[in-house]
Each structure stands twice: as C-alpha cells, then as structure tokens.
Amino acid sequence: VLIPALQISDSESVGLEDGIEQSAYLTESKMNESKPGDSQNLACVFCRKNDDCPNKYGEKKTKEKWNLTVHYYCLLMSSGIWQRGKEEEGVYGFLIEDIRKEVNRASKLKCCVCKKNGASIGCVAPRCKRSYHFPCGLQRECIFQFTGNFASFCWDHRPVQIITSNNYRESLPCTICLEFIEPIPSYNVLRSPCCKNAWFHRDCLQVQAINAGVFFFRCTICNNSDIFQKEMLRMGIHIPEKDASWELEENAYQELLQHYERCDVRRCRCKEGRDYNAPDSKWEIKRCQCCGSSGTHLACSSLRSCEQNWECLECRGIIYNSGEFQKAKKHVLPNSNNVGITDCLLEESSPKLPRQSPGSQSKDLLRQGSKFRRNVSTLLIELGFQIKKKTKRLYINKANIWNSALDAFRNRNFNPSYAIEVAYVIENDNFGSEHPGSKQEFLSLLMQHLENSSLFEGSLSKNLSLNSQALKENLYYEAGKMLAISLVHGGPSPGFFSKTLFNCLVYGPENTQPILDDVSDFDVAQIIIRLNTATTVADLKSIINECYNYLELIGCLRLITTLSDKYMLVKDILGYHVIQRVHTPFESFKQGLKTLGVLEKIQAYPEAFCSILCHKPESLSAKILSELFTVHTLPDVKALGFWNSYLQAVEDGKSTTTMEDILIFATGCSSIPPAGFKPTPSIECLHVDFPVGNKCNNCLAIPITNTYKEFQENMDFTIRNTLRLEKEESSHYIGH
C-alpha cells in the first residue's frame, strides 16, 4: 500500500531491502500522525529521533494540524528544500507540501552512518555521494554551515582551521568554561581568528552563540564580532538572529526604571555622602535634564531650586557643540573667541538590513545614528571640556625637551586634565631663573622630538620600533600619553603615523594588513622583494633555503607547493615584522593614548583623526596667515599694507623666510593646531625697528617703517636670525 507513495520514476530502481526501509520510514511518519498531542514522544520526520535538545538539533516543532514534527536544524540543513513561504507560514517559512516532498525524497536515500533510510542531508563537496541524518552527521563530526546556502560537509571534506606554527606546548584553558584543552585545532577545539591565544570547546561556543545571538556573540578576549562570527559560521557554529537570552528575561532591566540618585560633581559638599538625597532641601538630588544618568546636590552646583535646569559636563559639551554656531571660515580653525562648528550630519544607513527582531533593529538604528561626520577640531574641543581651571606649571629646559617633559608628566602631582602653564629654565643655572614659555611651542617641540625619536621607525610614514631599553623604561606608554595630551591641550597634529599603525589603533592589529612600505629594515625588505619577484617554484624554494634560519626564527616557514604560496609567505613575514614583533610596544603605546579619552575618540571617528595623525597639515599661504592674524590695536594702514605685501612676497619665494618661519616666530608652531590657537594670533603695529614675536600671547608686533623695502629687510633679518639661534640652542639634543 505504501509503495505508490514513493513516486518512483521509471529511471529509478529501488532494491527490495531499500523498499522495506522506505516503508518503515513512512510508516513511522504515519505513526506520528496517529498520535498528535504529546510532542515530547513524537519523532522528527527527518531523523526519526524524538529527542528535544535545542542546542544540538534546534527547536523541536510540532504542527498538530498537519500531524508533523520536525527538528529545526534537520529541516534547515536538508538538501532538497527551500524556504518559499513567509516566516509565519508552515514551519519557519517552509511550506508543509515542500516538507512532505523532502521527506519523500529522503526516504530513498540511505544514511552512510546508521545505514537507515531518510538521509536528507548530503555533502556539498564535488563527487562526494555521502548522505546522512543531521544527528548522524554530528556523531561523525560533519560540519553544517548555518549561513549562505546552508552547506554541509562530511568528515573527509569539512573545513579545518590552519595555523602557520604552533608555539603552545602546554594545555591552555577554554576561555569560556576555563577547562584545559590541547591547543590543536580539531573538530571539538576551535581557535579564535582574531586572538591567537584564545581557544574554545565547540560545545561551549555553540551554547554561547545561542544565548548571545548575532548581536552579542563575539570573541571573549578582544570583543571582535565581524571576523569572529565569520570564522565561527565557517566552522559550523549556529548564530541565531535574535536578541540575547538575557535581554528576553522578564524585568531584565527593571533597575533602569529607578531614578538616579547620586551626586557626581567633582567636589561634593554633602557631609552625608554622594548618595544622600533629602527632598525639598539643598541636599536634594537634581538629575541631568538631558541624559538623566548623572546628578548633583542642589548646593553642590549652586542651584537655588530643583526647578532650575542642570546638565552634566558631558551633555553640556554636546549641547555647546550642537548649538547654532556659525561655520568656521575655510582656513580659520576654532579658538577661544570664535568657535566654528561643522554641522553634524547623520550618516545614511544601508537600505538593505538583515532580518532582525524588533528589539535588535532598534539597537542597530541607535548604533548607526551615533555615528556623525565630525570635524576633528570640534572633536578636540569636546575633549578639551575635561580641562579644569586649576593650573599645573611645568618647568621645561628647551635644550633637553624630552627629559624635561618626562619628568613633568611623571610627577605624581601632574594631572592631564589640569591646564598647562610652561616656564622655561636653563640647565645648571645657579640663580634658578625662569621665564614664561609658550605651551603650544613646548608641545610643538615635543612632537618634533617624538617624531625623530627611536620609538618610531620609517622615513615619512612611521611605525612603532622595537626598542628594548624604551620598553624597560615604559617610554612607549609615555609617548602615547604625550600625544594625547598634546592633542587635547591645543598642540600640533603629529601627522607621521603610517596607515598601518593608524588602522591597528582603530580596527585592531588582527584586522590590519601591512605593506612593503612599512618595512624599514633593508634586509627584511630585500627578502620580501625577492619572494615577490620569484617566477618559479624552484626559485621560490631556493630563496626560502637561503633565508631558512630567519624564517624559522620568526615562525613563518610554510610548505611550498605552488608559486602562489609566495603571497601567503610574504603576508606572514609582513605580519610578523610590522605587527607581531612590536606587540608589546603597541599595547603600551595604546594605553598611553587612552589618556583623556583620546583613543576612544579616534576609534569612534577614524576618518576625522586620520587627517591629522597620518597627514601633515596643508601648506600655509598668504591668505591663511592673513585670515589667521587679527588686529587688536589701532591699525597703521601703511604698516598693514606692508604686512600683506610681505606675506605675498614670501609666498612667491621673493623672501629668505617662509610662511612656517613667520608662524614659528609669532606662536612657536610651524602649523595651525587642529584645535586652533588659544589665544587667537594677533598683530600690533609699533614704532619699533624690528618685529617682535610674543609666543606666550601669539602676538606679532610689526615695525612701522617709511618704505616697504625697509619693512621686508627688517622682517627677514629678525625672523631668520631669531630662528637660527633657537635652532642652534636645541639642535644638539633634538638630533639625538
């Protein structure tokens, strides 16, 4: 009676034994139909198991209307069925008629594991004829990819993780359950693609993926999600498109409904403590009217009543930068008197969004909405809101700028958020004399030294070097800290980072691929060039034999079978020399850059910061300097005319000075800092014979002369000789 239901075509021949198996298979399906109601005892129509184990087989679904029970994974991975309906139709969008057809098709296929019919899943490898049930495939360590075309691979053709070298001689803990495992990639042991020392049990990963969902499943070490998820999907981990299980718990975020009651101002005056709240008194807690997640006692912020508005420091900075301010001129950067703010535009989100739950969609939109196209000067001004009114004086010896800065920044009383005041001192001066210095000049000299120091290597675009003495003295951390302080306190932009170093800071070393230009070691560069230009496998092997000791030392030896293998070898060498070799200096440098929240800002707005970290400022022009300097005193029309003519002459190369020389003479900086000058550069017209530069006030006094020729000669002579003398004083140290 059951044979006609098989719909065997003339071209198919089914043996007697197979016919009996098929009959038994369909008979069991009929038994499911005769016993609706108790889904726990009903068997899946594909694998014929009644197990209800969501972590292994997916959710077990029973449709009593059609007398049908199925495991989600058995249905999803079946080779001959597609989701043709909407999510609410049939079973997960698979139509009932399609499921019955697939069951009928599978009834003719024998499982190569249990030897029973109903094997609906086949290996996708070309010419591989193996078919199996989903549970049988798990038993034989097949891999099922829950993405793309939902491919499955038998035990002979499954994807594997390949590592170039195994430096782990002892057992390492699974970073989820912390049980020790052998760090060798296998079916049951997987390695993170982004953190080379992170290993996992497959079962631990699968449970975590199901609990976390696609929006929270990420590497437990570095928090990377994109690369990590891509590799885990390739290796057969199912990552469901759903909210994390902890977000679905009832009242999971009940504490968020409670009012915030804590005083967060820097100096709380309440003797009862920051958590004390006495309504209708001066010790009542007033919450930030913008975010509601910060608070203050009325008395601590000099508020007369709770009706007064109050914003926390962070919200105040955002409001300040989102107000109706005029845009800055094309070349004029923000300063204390005229703050130009670039309009914040929301980036448009992609119209093609993956299918998500409503809760996760709202989270995704919030993430997209938080990314603004921002002007770097605006971002630095926001960071500058952290700077307090309290001032810290730094005693700096210009002839020994590096050690002076180190001593000042390492002082236990130094706080990066205090305003900086600079006093220049002379070494071995018995009288202890000091004179006021320019903060921006000091930061400019410090950045010049840093760029030419042994902490970095390369010509124009620099990467971190490996300096054991600097590591011992923790100088990489100090360098990162100095860069951060310089940016926030109005110093010049570094402009010497390589794109590789910048990408490592923003996206992580594991997501960055170095290039040949990053290699400053001549011998290593020659090895890479020779490998790249090899034209035969014999030549390639010959080069490898010559460099065998070096390649073995850095762990980059690999089996060469084809000429194209050279590209992976070159990639390994570049990765080691530029990134892995300087891993410790990089981590230390990165920690320093976190000072005042600079690194976090860089990572949030990489496009904006790339312009000042990887590129030198644009060349100065007569127009830029003319707009930069403002006239604060009653102008002398004739002198101002000479000044504008002089700028044009300098730009045209008719003067012995340069635009940068003029700016250094007046402010101590060779370029306009990203956050602008503070105070604004100004010009005074005085009855003096020679110009005078006041770097502390960014003021340039120009002489009032009878003729332009006299004006130019006096300007050239003074600026040229002043800068020459200053350079001679400091060159003996900066050159080290």
Side-chain angles (χ1 to χ4, degrees):
V1 175
L2 293 173
I3 294 298
L6 297 176
Q7 299 178 359
I8 303 175
S9 64
D10 296 335
S11 60
E12 295 173 323
S13 77
V14 181
L16 180 60
E17 183 181 345
D18 285 353
I20 295 172
E21 287 280 357
Q22 294 165 21
S23 299
Y25 184 79
L26 292 176
T27 301
E28 188 164 344
S29 298
K30 291 291 183 181
M31 288 172 62
N32 278 355
E33 296 178 6
S34 62
K35 295 181 180 180
D38 188 5
S39 62
Q40 296 294 326
N41 298 321
L42 295 179
C44 170
V45 294
F46 286 106
C47 68
R48 289 185 274 175
K49 289 182 176 290
N50 58 7
D51 302 33
D52 190 2
C53 184
N55 286 350
K56 289 180 68 175
Y57 308 136
E59 185 182 2
K60 186 178 179 183
K61 201 83 167 180
T62 296
K63 292 288 185 178
E64 295 186 2
K65 181 179 178 181
W66 294 286
N67 296 320
L68 185 72
T69 299
V70 64
H71 289 127
Y72 179 44
Y73 295 170
C74 293
L75 176 61
L76 201 60
M77 300 308 303
S78 292
S79 303
I81 190 170
W82 290 266
Q83 187 182 30
R84 296 195 302 128
K86 297 180 180 179
E87 193 73 23
E88 64 276 5
E89 293 183 90
V91 183
Y92 302 108
F94 293 90
L95 302 181
I96 300 300
E97 59 186 272
D98 292 343
I99 296 175
R100 294 201 180 280
K101 287 180 182 178
E102 179 64 3
V103 171
N104 189 47
R105 183 191 70 84
S107 67
K108 308 169 189 177
L109 302 173
K110 182 176 291 186
C111 175
C112 58
V113 179
C114 68
K115 307 304 179 185
K116 296 181 180 180
N117 280 34
S120 62
I121 306 170
C123 177
V124 300
R127 300 183 181 179
C128 181
K129 303 299 183 183
R130 290 193 177 111
S131 295
Y132 32 82
H133 303 102
F134 185 83
C136 296
L138 289 181
Q139 179 187 333
R140 283 302 305 269
E141 300 183 348
C142 298
I143 279 186
F144 304 93
Q145 294 180 342
F146 294 88
T147 184
N149 293 324
F150 295 89
S152 64
F153 300 86
C154 70
W155 50 92
D156 282 339
H157 301 117
R158 70 189 183 204
V160 295
Q161 288 187 307
I162 300 175
I163 57 173
T164 53
S165 59
N166 187 358
N167 299 322
Y168 308 101
R169 299 179 181 178
E170 299 179 357
S171 298
L172 292 175
C174 165
T175 60
I176 297 177
C177 72
L178 301 182
E179 289 187 7
F180 281 88
I181 52 179
E182 290 299 318
I184 301 173
S186 63
Y187 177 79
N188 291 311
V189 176
L190 300 176
R191 188 179 72 164
S192 170
C194 39
C195 293
K196 305 306 181 186
N197 59 341
W199 298 79
F200 312 90
H201 290 110
R202 172 182 288 273
D203 291 343
C204 293
L205 273 174
Q206 186 58 78
V207 171
Q208 186 190 42
I210 290 174
N211 287 331
V214 70
F215 303 106
F216 294 94
F217 182 55
R218 55 196 64 191
C219 176
T220 55
I221 302 297
C222 70
N223 231 22
N224 179 283
S225 60
D226 294 338
I227 295 177
F228 185 75
Q229 287 190 17
K230 185 177 179 181
E231 175 67 2
M232 293 306 113
L233 286 169
R234 186 180 77 89
M235 296 306 298
I237 300 299
H238 179 223
I239 310 172
E241 289 187 2
K242 68 177 186 66
D243 280 328
S245 57
W246 54 84
E247 293 210 343
L248 301 176
E249 295 177 11
E250 188 175 357
N251 298 325
Y253 300 100
Q254 188 66 31
E255 66 275 9
L256 297 181
L257 300 178
Q258 300 174 2
H259 290 305
Y260 188 85
E261 293 184 352
R262 178 178 170 80
C263 179
D264 296 307
V265 297
R266 185 167 61 91
R267 186 172 295 174
C268 178
R269 301 175 184 175
C270 182
K271 294 181 180 180
E272 301 295 331
R274 292 182 177 273
D275 296 321
Y276 181 72
N277 182 26
D280 300 322
S281 74
K282 66 178 181 179
W283 302 121
E284 181 177 356
I285 295 287
K286 169 71 178 178
R287 289 179 294 279
C288 172
Q289 66 168 347
C290 298
C291 67
S293 57
S294 290
T296 178
H297 289 116
L298 298 181
C300 295
S301 293
S302 301
L303 300 177
R304 295 183 179 180
S305 72
C306 214
E307 301 301 319
Q308 284 185 258
N309 292 333
W310 179 82
E311 303 91 19
C312 64
L313 185 63
E314 185 175 356
C315 292
R316 198 176 307 150
I318 295 171
I319 294 170
Y320 179 84
N321 285 285
S322 61
E324 296 179 354
F325 296 97
Q326 292 182 347
K327 288 188 178 180
K329 292 182 180 179
K330 184 174 181 181
H331 294 298
V332 179
L333 291 174
N335 53 55
S336 59
N337 298 322
N338 179 24
V339 181
I341 306 297
T342 299
D343 291 340
C344 301
L345 301 176
L346 282 175
E347 291 185 351
E348 294 182 4
S349 58
S350 170
K352 296 182 180 180
L353 293 173
R355 178 169 53 87
Q356 303 169 353
S357 63
S360 57
Q361 283 183 8
S362 61
K363 292 187 190 72
D364 210 42
L365 289 173
L366 283 173
R367 292 192 198 103
Q368 293 170 12
S370 66
K371 295 180 180 178
F372 296 93
R373 297 194 185 101
R374 305 294 298 277
N375 182 295
V376 70
S377 58
T378 307
L379 297 170
L380 292 177
I381 289 173
E382 287 178 5
L383 289 173
F385 283 120
Q386 303 171 78
I387 300 175
K388 302 175 174 63
K389 291 183 179 179
K390 186 172 182 179
T391 301
K392 174 65 179 176
R393 174 169 286 195
L394 307 183
Y395 295 94
I396 303 298
N397 179 5
K398 287 178 73 173
N400 197 343
I401 200 84
W402 175 254
N403 285 334
S404 296
L406 272 180
D407 292 341
F409 291 157
R410 285 175 168 175
N411 188 299
R412 64 178 183 176
N413 294 323
F414 176 76
N415 187 329
S417 62
Y418 287 171
I420 292 176
E421 185 180 281
V422 173
Y424 287 137
V425 297
I426 301 174
E427 195 173 12
N428 301 324
D429 183 359
N430 296 328
F431 297 100
S433 59
E434 60 184 64
H435 59 277
S438 163
K439 176 186 69 173
Q440 288 177 312
E441 180 189 32
F442 157 63
L443 294 173
S444 181
L445 292 173
L446 184 58
M447 290 302 103
Q448 287 177 38
H449 175 84
L450 198 58
E451 180 176 0
N452 298 310
S453 72
S454 59
L455 301 177
F456 296 89
E457 60 184 21
S459 52
L460 297 177
S461 297
K462 296 178 180 289
N463 290 292
L464 290 172
S465 65
L466 181 59
N467 186 320
S468 57
Q469 185 61 31
L471 267 178
K472 191 180 299 183
E473 297 177 13
N474 202 26
L475 295 185
Y476 290 99
Y477 170 81
E478 297 296 341
K481 180 179 174 182
M482 288 175 182
L483 277 164
I485 290 173
S486 177
L487 288 173
V488 177
H489 284 264
S493 57
F496 59 83
F497 282 23
S498 72
K499 283 292 182 63
T500 298
L501 175 56
F502 181 78
N503 289 338
C504 285
L505 290 170
V506 175
Y507 308 110
E510 67 280 358
N511 300 321
T512 304
Q513 180 55 48
I515 59 176
L516 182 59
D517 289 344
D518 293 318
V519 179
S520 59
D521 188 299
F522 178 79
D523 294 330
V524 176
Q526 286 301 306
I527 292 174
I528 294 173
I529 292 171
R530 290 180 63 194
L531 290 171
N532 265 330
T533 55
T535 55
T536 65
V537 174
D539 289 343
L540 189 58
K541 290 183 177 179
S542 175
I543 298 169
I544 292 173
N545 287 334
E546 289 180 36
C547 310
Y548 184 87
N549 291 336
Y550 170 72
L551 295 176
E552 183 181 38
L553 179 67
I554 66 175
C556 289
L557 276 177
R558 60 168 50 243
L559 181 65
I560 301 297
T561 56
T562 64
L563 186 61
S564 60
D565 289 339
K566 68 181 182 180
Y567 300 115
M568 288 303 298
L569 180 56
V570 166
K571 183 179 177 182
D572 291 344
I573 296 173
L574 284 171
Y576 168 80
H577 188 81
V578 181
I579 293 179
Q580 297 173 30
R581 183 175 64 98
V582 295
H583 172 74
T584 305
F586 173 77
E587 290 299 323
S588 182
F589 181 68
K590 192 169 73 168
Q591 290 301 316
L593 264 181
K594 289 182 178 179
T595 304
L596 295 173
V598 171
L599 180 62
E600 289 78 4
K601 210 73 165 178
I602 293 173
Q603 292 172 339
Y605 303 97
E607 282 189 22
F609 280 93
C610 183
S611 63
I612 65 169
L613 295 180
C614 300
H615 302 284
K616 292 293 184 182
E618 64 175 322
S619 299
L620 297 173
S621 66
K623 186 175 186 295
I624 292 175
L625 283 192
S626 178
E627 292 178 347
L628 180 66
F629 286 88
T630 59
V631 182
H632 279 179
T633 59
L634 289 175
D636 182 282
V637 177
K638 191 175 181 181
L640 285 179
F642 288 167
W643 162 249
N644 290 325
S645 298
Y646 180 67
L647 290 178
Q648 194 59 54
V650 172
E651 184 175 26
D652 295 340
K654 298 176 182 178
S655 169
T656 55
T657 61
T658 65
M659 293 293 176
E660 287 72 23
D661 291 340
I662 298 173
L663 194 61
I664 294 172
F665 181 77
T667 68
C669 297
S670 60
S671 62
I672 303 174
F677 282 107
K678 188 177 181 181
T680 307
S682 61
I683 286 179
E684 292 179 338
C685 303
L686 300 180
H687 290 278
V688 292
D689 293 331
F690 300 98
V692 178
N694 186 338
K695 297 175 182 177
C696 293
N697 296 323
N698 297 327
C699 182
L700 174 63
I702 58 177
I704 298 176
T705 60
N706 293 323
T707 64
Y708 171 73
K709 182 179 180 182
E710 185 183 359
F711 181 90
Q712 179 173 343
E713 287 177 350
N714 290 352
M715 292 288 290
D716 284 349
F717 175 81
T718 306
I719 294 174
R720 184 176 64 250
N721 285 285
T722 301
L723 297 185
R724 179 178 58 80
L725 289 173
E726 290 180 349
K727 191 175 292 185
E728 287 175 357
E729 289 177 4
S730 58
S731 61
H732 74 278
Y733 184 78
I734 292 179
H736 293 335

